[in-house]
Amino acid sequence: MHIDVLDLRQFYYRTRLGRAAQKAVRDRLVAMWPEAKGQTVVGFGFAVPLLRPYLADARRVIGLMPAPQGVMHWPAGMANVSLLSEETLWPLETGAVDKLVLLHALEASDNPQALLEECCRVLGPGGRAVFIVPNRTGLWARRDRTPFGFGRPYSRGQLEAQVKRAGLVPERHAAALFAPPSGGKFWLRIGGFMERLGQRLSRSGGGGVILLEVSKQVPARPRTGLAERVRRPLRVLEGVPEPLAAGRIEGGDM
């Protein structure tokens, strides 16, 4: 079940809690991917609030938004780079993406495995993706006043198992949103401190959301055996006597 794009925009750009959540998750993403110079960066779902740091140096930034959710112009004040897309049929060439970010996508999908296979298709060899999903044991997944309270929350083990089935390789994980999902002044005031403290103390995940980085590994093509045959060529003429040198006759001289 996808959330309407108007509700997502209202939360992330019009509420203090949404802006705080946007910063907390974006900071973790940037810590994982400090730059994307000359690369193609794509977001799916409602990932555009996290992509702004890459606009300056990336070769291309694209924000794909699923049809059931709807689409909005992004980035504000600049040429639009967001577009509406079918969930499992993206208007991108195979292997065209270097970095891919999914937010409010996987947990809302009716067919998450097909969505992951589409992610695998568009990633280039060695390409990276970060899947951001609600933590099943976190407070944010239990509060339906935020977008993280909708859809299917995940544990890290569940998320890793699902991406592996799509042929993607888990590389590392992180967590964000350690402050409670409250718009109260006190919690917003200490939210930054709680985020920093949570990052230092958390070793097994924690937080309201899980960030899982994966890579696309293309296996080497199997050997054809040609090299071995070249090293051991066929001895077609084995057993045939070698010809005599010109000007020599056995048993005498010319």
Side-chain angles (χ1 to χ4, degrees), residues 125-138:
R128 300 268 170 155
V130 169
F131 299 105
I132 305 168
V133 297
N135 184 354
R136 189 180 65 178
T137 61

Side-chain angles (χ1 to χ4, degrees), residues 115-233:
L115 175 57
L116 287 171
E117 290 169 1
E118 185 69 354
C119 295
C120 189
R121 180 188 70 82
V122 301
L123 281 173
R128 300 268 170 155
V130 169
F131 299 105
I132 305 168
V133 297
N135 184 354
R136 189 180 65 178
T137 61
L139 293 176
W140 289 72
R142 307 174 193 179
R143 186 77 179 270
D144 59 8
R145 293 186 181 181
T146 80
F148 299 100
F150 293 84
R152 298 175 305 277
Y154 284 81
S155 68
R156 184 161 61 93
Q158 289 172 333
L159 184 57
E160 289 182 350
Q162 192 160 51
V163 301
K164 286 177 182 178
R165 287 197 293 271
L168 296 167
V169 181
E171 297 289 350
R172 53 180 170 163
H173 69 277
L177 301 184
F178 290 90
S182 170
K185 292 182 180 179
F186 172 76
W187 294 113
L188 290 172
R189 187 166 60 249
I190 69 169
F193 167 77
M194 293 190 68
E195 199 68 26
R196 292 188 296 272
L197 182 64
Q199 298 297 339
R200 286 197 296 267
L201 298 180
S202 177
R203 289 291 180 266
S204 60
V209 297
I210 299 167
L211 295 85
L212 178 65
E213 183 187 31
V214 304
S215 64
K216 178 179 178 179
Q217 303 295 333
V218 179
R221 298 180 63 181
R223 298 175 66 90
T224 62
L226 178 59
E228 182 66 18
R229 290 198 297 271
V230 170
R231 285 196 297 268
R232 298 172 58 188

